[in-house]
């Protein structure tokens, strides 16, 4: 382990062709907190979280997760990842999807059943588990993806726009669960473009055009920029940067 950092981003630069989509990102993520990467579409959030998971590699710099340089297959047991676009087996039922993803991890049979029941309940899909995913709405698919991300009880949760298309009531219960998991010592990373979700994070990084334009706790950022909302922080920081 490299001290107590759960994730370290060291001098990350990423290009697609000639376009630089991440510019020299340095950032430390500590255990037991919720981090939010906030920024408009195209800012580089998805590219960044994919590197944390090890699904993509930077052109320059390195990512360390739980002390291991990514990508690293061994460490996948410890990471729950919810991609921005759902990757589900639509010809299978919700339950079969959960069973499939659970089988990728080191869980015994009882544990597997327990985790499937827990994850389905968490996203309010228990009653729809025997339906084929092809019959699910967009929001239901999002919820199933979230359940899959949590299936093996991972130490680190990386959620790319987890609450898009999810109704307000369930959004609240999902956030309450994220708070509970945080208090259990899990480390949670979410991306969002919704500022009221950013308020719920312990620490945020505002991303614009591949750079962090402001980082800190929601309160620190508002104080630093002398404004009352994170929307205003983004505007002021963006102007200065
Ligand atoms: N595979 C790819 N090939 C080329 N360009 C890409 C690819 N993936 C992302 N990009 C570009 O990188 C930039 C950042 O994208 P992305 O990380 O998806 O942003 P965000 O998640 O913040 O919306 C965008 O300009 C996007 O068009
Ligand atoms: Mg994205």
């Amino acid at each position: 382990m490299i001290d107590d950092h759960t994730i370290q981003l060291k001098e990350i630069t990423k290009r697609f062709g000639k376009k630089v989509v991440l510019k020299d990102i340095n950032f430390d993520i500590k255990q037991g907190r919720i981090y939010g990467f906030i920024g408009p579409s195209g800012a580089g959030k998805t590219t960044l979280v994919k590197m944390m998971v090890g699904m993509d590699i930077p052109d320059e710099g390195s990512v360390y997760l739980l002390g291991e340089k990514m990508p690293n297959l061994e460490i996948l047991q410890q990471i729950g990842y919810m991609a921005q676009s759902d990757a589900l087996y639509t010809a299978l039922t919700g339950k079969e999807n959960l069973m499939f993803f659970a089988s990728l991890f080191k869980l015994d049979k009882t544990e597997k059943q327990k985790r499937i029941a827990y994850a389905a309940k968490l996203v309010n899909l228990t009653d729809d588990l025997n339906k084929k995913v092809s019959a699910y709405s967009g929001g239901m698919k999002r919820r199933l993806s979230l359940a899959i991300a949590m299936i093996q009880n991972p130490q680190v949760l990386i959620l790319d726009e987890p609450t898009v298309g999810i109704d307000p009531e369930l959004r609240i219960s999902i956030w309450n669960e994220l708070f509970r998991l945080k208090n259990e010592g899990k480390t949670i990373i979410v991306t969002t473009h919704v500022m009221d979700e950013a308020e719920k994070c312990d620490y945020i990084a505002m991303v614009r055009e591949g750079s962090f334009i402001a980082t800190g706790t929601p309160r620190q950022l508002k104080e630093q920029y002398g404004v009352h909302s994170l929307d205003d922080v983004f505007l002021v920081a963006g102007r200065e940067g």
Side-chain angles (χ1 to χ4, degrees):
M1 279 287 273
I2 302 171
D3 49 59
D4 81 328
H5 292 128
T6 298
I7 306 179
Q8 290 185 298
L9 306 172
K10 287 191 177 291
E11 296 168 16
I12 305 288
T13 293
K14 179 71 180 174
R15 301 179 197 88
F16 288 114
K18 282 189 182 157
K19 191 175 157 69
V20 184
V21 296
L22 293 172
K23 297 169 196 160
D24 196 25
I25 300 282
N26 284 288
F27 197 65
D28 286 346
I29 290 179
K30 291 184 182 158
Q31 197 202 333
R33 296 187 192 174
I34 302 179
Y35 289 81
F37 291 125
I38 324 297
S41 181
K45 305 180 298 294
T46 295
T47 307
L48 193 58
V49 295
K50 276 187 177 167
M51 279 176 214
M52 293 184 197
V53 185
M55 283 181 64
D56 205 345
I57 50 168
D59 292 308
E60 287 158 40
S62 336
V63 178
Y64 293 88
L65 200 143
L66 300 173
E68 300 293 334
K69 188 166 192 245
M70 299 301 283
N72 179 308
L73 279 177
E74 295 296 307
I75 216 89
L76 286 184
Q77 177 85 20
Q78 302 304 331
I79 309 175
Y81 172 55
M82 177 183 180
Q84 186 169 358
S85 33
D86 301 306
L88 301 165
Y89 292 96
T90 53
L92 302 180
T93 65
K95 181 155 194 194
E96 286 165 341
N97 271 271
L98 287 169
M99 282 163 60
F100 171 77
F101 286 101
S103 73
L104 301 178
F105 297 103
K106 298 173 199 136
L107 299 171
D108 67 38
K109 206 177 158 196
T110 339
E111 228 178 338
K112 209 184 277 183
Q113 297 297 339
K114 263 201 213 156
R115 293 300 303 171
I116 289 171
Y118 157 84
K121 184 159 179 281
L122 169 64
V123 298
N124 198 18
L125 274 180
T126 308
D127 295 338
D128 299 298
L129 275 190
N130 293 321
K131 288 184 190 147
K132 283 202 174 158
V133 172
S134 54
Y136 276 21
S137 68
M140 287 164 83
K141 286 184 197 158
R142 240 21 231 140
R143 282 143 62 193
L144 182 58
S145 296
L146 181 58
I148 288 168
M150 302 198 178
I151 202 73
Q152 83 278 26
N153 199 14
Q155 194 54 40
V156 181
L157 266 178
I158 300 178
L159 311 173
D160 199 355
E161 311 246 6
T163 56
V164 169
I166 291 180
D167 66 59
E169 208 175 323
L170 188 59
R171 203 179 267 226
I172 291 168
S173 68
I174 289 171
W175 270 100
N176 285 338
E177 185 60 16
L178 296 182
F179 295 141
R180 197 189 65 73
L181 290 167
K182 167 183 102 167
N183 290 332
E184 258 182 15
K186 311 271 194 211
T187 307
I188 301 165
I189 293 115
V190 299
T191 75
T192 183
H193 54 265
V194 188
M195 287 296 173
D196 76 316
E197 291 202 323
E199 287 280 0
K200 299 179 198 292
C201 300
D202 297 304
Y203 203 92
I204 56 190
M206 291 191 170
V207 198
R208 204 186 67 168
E209 293 172 10
S211 298
F212 286 177
I213 57 171
T215 56
T217 68
R219 194 170 147 181
Q220 277 170 355
L221 287 174
K222 284 181 273 186
E223 275 173 13
Q224 186 185 333
Y225 289 93
V227 292
H228 297 292
S229 75
L230 290 176
D231 275 313
D232 288 340
V233 172
F234 193 85
L235 291 175
V236 178
R239 230 177 278 143
E240 290 176 359

